[in-house]
Amino acid sequence: MCGIVAYIGPRQAQDVIIKGLKRLEYRGYDSTGIALMNGGLNVYKKKGKVSELEKSLNGFDLNSHIGMGHTRWATHGEPNDENAHPHYSATKKLAIIHNGIIENYSSLKEDLERKGHTFQSETDTEVFIHFIEDIYENEKCSLDEAVRLALTKVIGAYAIVVMSLDNSELLIAARKGSPLVVGVGKGEYFMASDATPIIEYTNEVIYLNDYEMAIINKGELTIKNTENLPLTPYIQTVDMELEAIEKGGFDHYMLKEIFEQPRSIKDCMRGRLDSASGRLILGGLREYVNTLVNADRILIVACGTSWHAGLVAEYFFEEYCRIPVEVEYASEFRYRNPVIREGDVIIAISQSGETADTLAAIEMAKSKGAIIFGVCNVVGSSIPRATHAGAYTHAGPEIGVASTKAFTAQLIVLNMIALIVAQQKGTIPQQKFLELLIEMENIPEKVEIVLKHNDKIRDIAAKFIDTNNFLYLGRGYNFPVALEGALKLKEISYIHAEGYPAAEMKHGPIALIDEAMPVVFIATKDSSYEKIVSNIQEVKARKGKVISIITEGDTLIPTMSDHVIEVPKTIESLMPLVSVIPLQLLSYHIAVMRDCNVDQPRNLAKSVTVE
Ligand code: M6R
């Protein structure tokens, strides 16, 4: 949460930074600010989105070749101009941008107030820069040393960049717990929360690790850690096309990402799965595959949509591998002192690879000796670096806050892991294994077919834009899909929605059913088809409005539904990959028609780096 970007080099810094902030706006968007060295160290900031800041900059001479900017997701202090970043130090000779939380800021603030400091904002970040300056003045050391000393005394998470009025060729950055990437161009450097603001200029990047600092002074880059040990920069090449982070003619990133799924699913399987030869390989797992094969239990930790993918994976591992699985909310797991035994294996799932709760759960499980596998989308992010092994989902950048293509790619990777383990364990017949490989290769085409119903789904959506509540029901593999459909709707349209196992309806939610309650049934032809038909009848008997996701050719459910959306037939365990698509589109269209900002829903951020 919060996006940071900084630049030093021959270009106009504000151009690079404003563009970069727009790319990072998915991380937070309640206020924005920029610091430039244009005849002084000047800070411009504004409540609202980057476009608001941009408008407010009209008429200023912003000529500067160094600068930094920030887009905020509020933690300490409400979103307003004062709390927006950058923040000045007491003398206004230093400025800082910060992503993270300084947990001991109140005690630091009290000490500083005793020394006469006054603060303009309610933020922990302003305290941080005052603290750095206090050290700088008292220790009479270099600024980077003052920053380093301050970092050894703050508790919490940070990715920061500091600028100084006294040196217009200096940028100091550091990270712990919040991501920070340094872009290395020809005679220029970039810093950002992720690589998206950088790839337009260079694909050479350094992913800073926790407790590392990057200092760019007079064109020279130095990397060291907070213990003052110099480090050799490890420059990596990022493989990301500019087009992948632009809307490409779609009105919203979310819609683009929904429509990208046939391709992202293929990308996820490319080079890993080949049904013709029966080959299924995940390079990242090779070394640890026996650990999974011999696992007594798998614990899956994740949050949000990734947690829903984990629930589907529970069914995969139990069906194919006969390994018991528990799916845990990372935020609960990390604080529960869970029992982790020898023979337990953890799988952590995360699109961003930065989710604070998931990261903390991994660290906690590691400290208890567990082996951790990661399933992540963002290459080089913190979770893949904290795990023993893993597999990337290769879905490409997901920018819409509502996760769509990452979910289907997670399902593919988790299915592949389960199949590899099952084959090695001998718990899946070869015939079934091959059928699954063949059908996985058919999934992109089947998703394409569902996407063709977009207009019909938009028409259905139009009928429900004034609804206050929705219920989503599914059984078996489609139960996590029901949860995911409900999450999609509530997060972008602000309509209250609940997902339930269809059979649980009679234990409570049925009391809610009346003519004003739409119920989405994920009722594809599978082993619980007859049961879900009965559940639909129960809702109809109480006058609920039924929208059913059905298998093509089903003639029964349409007779008892108000609306149906067909999806192609597939193997039961793969059905979530197709049955989730109409739910993504339904929530998208309802949100657009309600005039909601689907890519940047209120109060949310793409990557939740606070607990
Ligand atoms: O990046 P992660 O997959 O770890 O993120 C987990 C959740 O924050 C995320 O899935 C969130 O629930 C999405 N907004 C759902 O669309």
Side-chain angles (χ1 to χ4, degrees), residues 303-307 349-355 358 383 401-404 410 484 487-488 491 604-608:
C303 304
T305 288
S306 298
W307 185 78
I349 311 170
S350 172
Q351 186 287 130
S352 61
E354 300 293 349
T355 300
T358 310
I383 292 176
V401 163
S403 191
T404 52
Q410 287 166 345
E484 176 59 7
L487 174 60
K488 285 296 83 95
E491 71 178 325
L604 287 171
K606 183 71 184 161
S607 142
V608 186

Side-chain angles (χ1 to χ4, degrees), residues 10 15 150 180 202 225 291 323 325 357 360 398-399 405 409 487 489 605:
D15 293 343
L180 193 57
T202 176
N225 64 18
T291 312
I323 301 177
V325 178
D357 284 321
E398 188 181 71
I399 293 169
K405 63 175 181 170
L487 174 60
L489 185 71

